């Protein structure tokens, strides 16, 4: 199985995808005149704007759901893996793909809003919807169906196991709990929420993700303050390594860029096609609003949370770096015990746990039997982060299943839930290496299909940004921007052509008839 997965990953994560993702992000950033800088303040304002309805969730809830998918094991274990394979310089490439990836995130999330539709009394949107409606014809339907099938496979089966595997690994490091017991607990916790739909998932994500992200970053800031004298040298190491100027890591620069982009995409999901599902569920008056909010979520994920992890690992020196040939360029003695009792020196949650234990408990060298504040804190942080990510994966897989079945055969949603729960349990007792490789395969396949799709369909999204900017200037605030696309230019956007104008008309008539009485 490992051989097959490695072969497929070699094809999917080839140089064209790695450098193509960087190029696409740069292209969109240039086309939209680096909106991620120009509209930074607007992103934050829109994030807290409270538009919602019985059908749609608010922008902040959509952000929380998308962040629950983004902020997970990739922010902790993914960063450790990037450092192990690519050294400290891999962090720079994660930053770069996040900054440029905000452009891809805006386009895909805005498209999800433009082509969303009401199904089962809730908004549904995402790549499958905008590929079918935007491209149109038989080719559009086939392309959309292929994406939906790949996404169901990736988020319903391949990716959940990575999250549960990380939870099990961190819990085993901190508590003497068998992996199968952790798996059983997760099965119950996941099952209690996923069958409640997007409202239930959004409520849990809104309560958990922002709080844990803030606490996590706050702890990282404390570590930085405790090691403030090492900050200049650490950033110098990151930048020098990223461009091959650090002799120790000069021989792995190719692996450094590849793993930085790969882990960056896995973490922030920009261009991958998962974020648009939550974006399409939001209630907004203009698609560009949610596009801006989702672009900001890429910053939260990588520039804040991933950087927090990198600081805690690099400043404490609790990491190993592979030489790419079975040996180690840096050997700090950090390892994690596998379910089979072996010592895994690769990038795992043990890096971050050992880093915090050193910072707060004074453990200068790695001691496998020591359990301090860092071990406990990271265990619970991963539990919350990965748990909400699993919930987001279910919603994404369910949305694509509903797309394929057109809402018929509700029993298949139950079967999907059972499949995902089975994947969660299997991930807790499976090896971390295979789980990550299978997840990388799923992410890569989705990214290929989605990036091609948004390049084809970019025009309506970019036009939406220009329209939003024009209305913002005319009305004095983006708050009052309303999307009214030309049916001849933006076809098949039924919600904005029919449903939303009808609602606005009804609200206007209601206010004219009853507004004075209510005041």
């Amino acid at each position: 199985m490992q051989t097959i997965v490695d072969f497929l990953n070699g094809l999917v994560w080839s140089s064209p995808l790695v450098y193509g993702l960087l190029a696409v992000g740069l292209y969109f950033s240039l086309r939209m005149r680096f909106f991620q800088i120009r509209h930074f303040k607007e992103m934050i304002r829109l994030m807290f704007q409270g538009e919602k309805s019985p059908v749609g969730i608010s922008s902040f809830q959509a952000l929380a759901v998308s962040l629950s998918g983004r902020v997970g094991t990739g922010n902790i274990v993914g960063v450790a893996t990037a450092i192990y394979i690519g050294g400290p310089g891999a962090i720079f490439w994660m930053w770069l793909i996040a900054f440029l990836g905000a452009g891809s995130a805006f386009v895909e999330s805005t498209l999800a809003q433009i082509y969303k539709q009401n199904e089962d009394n809730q908004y549904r949107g995402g790549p499958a919807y905008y590929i079918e409606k935007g491209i149109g014809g038989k080719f559009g339907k086939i392309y959309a169906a292929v994406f939906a099938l790949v996404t169901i496979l990736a988020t319903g089966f391949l990716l959940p196991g990575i999250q549960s595997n990380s939870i099990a690994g961190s819990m085993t490091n901190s508590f003497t709990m068998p992996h199968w017991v952790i798996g059983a607990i997760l099965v119950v916790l996941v099952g209690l929420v996923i069958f409640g739909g997007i409202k239930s998932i959004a409520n849990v994500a809104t309560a958990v993700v922002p709080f844990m992200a803030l606490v996590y970053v706050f702890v990282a800031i404390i570590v930085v303050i405790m090691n403030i004298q090492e900050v200049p040298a650490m950033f110098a190491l990151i930048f020098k390594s990223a461009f091959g100027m650090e002799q120790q890591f000069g021989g792995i620069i190719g692996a450094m860029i590849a793993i930085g982009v790969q882990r960056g995409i896995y973490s922030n999901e920009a261009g991958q096609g998962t974020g648009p599902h939550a974006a399409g569920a939001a209630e907004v008056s203009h698609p560009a609003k949610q596009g801006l909010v989702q672009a900001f979520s890429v910053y939260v994920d990588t520039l804040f949370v991933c950087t927090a992890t990198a600081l805690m690992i690099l400043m404490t020196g609790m990491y190993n770096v592979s030489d790419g040939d079975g040996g180690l360029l840096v050997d700090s003695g950090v390892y994690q015990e596998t379910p089979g009792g072996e010592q895994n020196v690769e990038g795992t949650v043990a890096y971050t746990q050992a880093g915090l234990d050193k910072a707060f408990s004074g453990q200068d060298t790695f001691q496998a039997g020591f359990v301090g504040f860092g071990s406990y804190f990271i265990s619970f942080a991963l539990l919350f982060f990965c748990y909400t990510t699993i919930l987001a994966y279910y919603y994404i897989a369910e949305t694509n299943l509903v797309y394929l079945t057109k809402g018929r055969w509700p029993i298949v949603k139950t079967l999907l839930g059972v499949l995902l729960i089975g994947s969660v349990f299997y991930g807790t007792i499976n090896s971390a290496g295979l789980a990550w490789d299978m997840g990388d395969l799923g992410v890569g396949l989705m990214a290929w299909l989605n990036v091609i799709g948004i390049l084809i369909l970019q025009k309506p999204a970019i036009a939406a940004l220009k329209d939003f900017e024009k209305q913002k200037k005319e009305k004095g605030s983006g708050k009052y921007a309303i999307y009214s696309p030309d049916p001849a230019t933006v076809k098949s956007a039924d919600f904005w052509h029919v449903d939303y104008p009808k609602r606005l008309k009804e609200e206007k008539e209601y206010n004219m008839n009853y507004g004075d009485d209510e005041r």
Side-chain angles (χ1 to χ4, degrees):
M1 181 67 173
Q2 182 71 60
T3 304
I4 297 173
V5 173
D6 287 344
F7 172 75
L8 293 175
N9 264 326
L11 295 176
V12 171
W13 282 103
S14 56
S15 295
L17 179 60
V18 172
Y19 294 104
L21 289 169
L22 284 169
V24 169
L26 176 60
Y27 167 72
F28 284 137
S29 297
L30 289 171
R31 279 218 61 184
M32 294 181 284
R33 296 180 296 122
F34 288 97
F35 76 97
Q36 59 265 63
I37 298 175
R38 294 187 297 110
H39 291 302
F40 186 79
K41 183 179 179 180
E42 188 72 6
M43 290 177 185
I44 298 174
R45 188 193 67 77
L46 289 170
M47 181 172 59
F48 296 103
Q49 186 171 312
E51 295 179 52
K52 62 181 178 179
S53 70
V55 181
I57 58 177
S58 69
S59 287
F60 186 75
Q61 287 179 312
L63 174 72
V65 173
S66 64
L67 277 176
S68 68
R70 288 185 165 100
V71 180
T73 188
N75 299 82
I76 299 177
V77 183
V79 173
T81 305
I83 292 172
Y84 171 75
I85 296 175
I91 304 305
F92 170 82
W93 296 102
M94 292 185 73
W95 289 340
L96 184 62
I97 194 62
F99 176 73
L100 297 178
S104 302
F106 174 86
V107 172
E108 63 183 0
S109 298
T110 301
L111 287 171
Q113 268 291 323
I114 291 173
Y115 295 107
K116 71 181 180 183
Q117 63 188 53
N118 187 338
E119 290 185 358
D120 304 328
N121 200 35
Q122 60 180 289
Y123 295 140
R124 298 277 190 182
Y129 291 90
Y130 59 67
I131 287 172
E132 178 186 338
K133 292 184 174 185
I135 295 178
K138 188 175 181 180
F139 175 73
K141 289 184 178 180
I142 294 174
Y143 196 164
V146 171
F147 179 88
L149 287 170
V150 168
T151 303
I152 291 170
L153 176 64
T155 58
F157 177 68
L158 298 178
L159 293 171
I162 295 178
Q163 307 297 324
S164 60
N165 184 278
S166 297
I167 294 173
S170 64
M171 286 292 179
T172 302
N173 289 347
S174 304
F175 307 96
T176 55
M177 294 177 65
H179 284 246
W180 71 266
V181 173
I182 299 169
I185 294 172
L186 284 176
V187 164
V188 175
L189 292 176
V190 172
L192 288 173
V193 178
I194 63 174
F195 298 112
I198 183 59
K199 297 282 187 179
S200 176
I201 294 172
N203 289 335
V204 173
T206 304
V208 173
V209 176
F211 172 75
M212 278 307 305
L214 288 172
V215 172
Y216 190 78
V217 172
F218 178 72
V219 170
I221 291 172
I222 294 176
V223 174
V224 171
I225 294 173
M226 293 171 66
N227 298 272
I228 194 68
Q229 71 280 0
E230 298 177 23
V231 170
M234 185 199 64
F235 278 101
L237 178 63
I238 291 174
F239 284 102
K240 287 171 66 178
S241 300
F243 296 99
M245 292 184 289
E246 186 69 26
Q247 186 176 1
Q248 185 179 19
F249 306 113
I252 58 171
I253 189 166
M256 180 189 305
I257 297 173
I259 195 63
V261 174
Q262 189 175 345
R263 285 290 170 261
I265 288 295
Y266 180 84
S267 176
N268 62 54
E269 301 182 356
Q272 178 184 316
T274 47
H277 295 88
E283 178 72 55
V284 291
S285 64
H286 199 292
K289 291 183 177 182
Q290 197 59 35
L292 290 170
V293 171
Q294 296 303 110
F296 183 75
S297 72
V298 175
Y299 289 163
V300 174
D301 173 271
T302 305
L303 300 185
F304 298 160
V305 183
C306 284
T307 299
T309 301
L311 294 177
M312 289 187 283
I313 293 174
L314 294 176
M315 296 189 83
T316 56
M318 288 295 177
Y319 62 93
N320 307 316
V321 178
S322 171
D323 64 2
D325 197 30
L328 295 175
L329 292 174
V330 176
D331 185 1
S332 299
V334 187
Y335 69 86
Q336 177 175 298
E337 189 172 301
T338 68
E342 300 173 349
Q343 293 184 3
N344 179 14
V345 300
E346 298 178 2
T348 65
V349 68
Y351 286 18
T352 319
Q353 288 180 309
L356 280 184
D357 281 341
K358 178 179 179 179
F360 291 101
S361 304
Q363 298 297 309
D364 290 330
T365 58
F366 177 73
Q367 298 178 28
F370 180 81
V371 180
F373 168 78
S375 297
Y376 291 124
F377 175 75
I378 295 300
S379 293
F380 284 105
L382 259 182
L383 173 62
F384 287 115
F385 285 156
C386 295
Y387 172 61
T388 53
T389 298
I390 292 169
L391 300 182
Y393 284 159
Y394 173 78
Y395 172 69
I396 293 167
E398 182 197 81
T399 296
N400 285 276
L401 188 65
V402 170
Y403 166 80
L404 289 175
T405 62
K406 307 303 180 187
R408 300 186 294 269
W409 312 309
I411 186 64
V412 295
K413 290 200 292 186
T414 303
L415 294 176
L416 173 65
V418 173
L419 175 68
L420 181 136
I421 288 173
S423 173
V424 167
F425 184 79
Y426 181 71
T428 61
I429 59 175
N430 189 29
S431 68
L434 181 59
W436 272 98
D437 290 340
M438 291 176 69
D440 285 340
L441 179 59
V443 169
L445 288 171
M446 290 174 63
W448 265 112
L449 293 168
N450 185 61
V451 165
I452 294 171
I454 62 177
L455 281 172
I456 295 172
L457 299 171
Q458 60 181 282
K459 189 175 179 180
I462 294 173
L465 178 62
K466 291 179 180 178
D467 179 66
F468 176 79
E469 291 174 336
K470 179 182 177 182
Q471 292 193 52
K472 181 176 181 289
K473 184 177 180 180
E474 291 175 348
K475 299 177 180 180
S477 173
K479 178 181 179 180
Y480 306 108
I482 296 177
Y483 187 57
S484 301
D486 181 359
T489 304
V490 184
K491 301 177 181 179
S492 302
D494 299 333
F495 174 81
W496 299 102
H497 295 323
V498 180
D499 297 355
Y500 197 66
K502 181 181 178 182
R503 184 197 301 175
L504 290 178
K505 182 180 179 182
E506 291 173 348
E507 289 178 356
K508 183 177 180 180
E509 290 176 349
Y510 180 87
N511 290 333
M512 288 177 63
N513 293 329
Y514 303 103
D516 291 335
D517 292 340
E518 289 186 356
R519 285 195 296 269

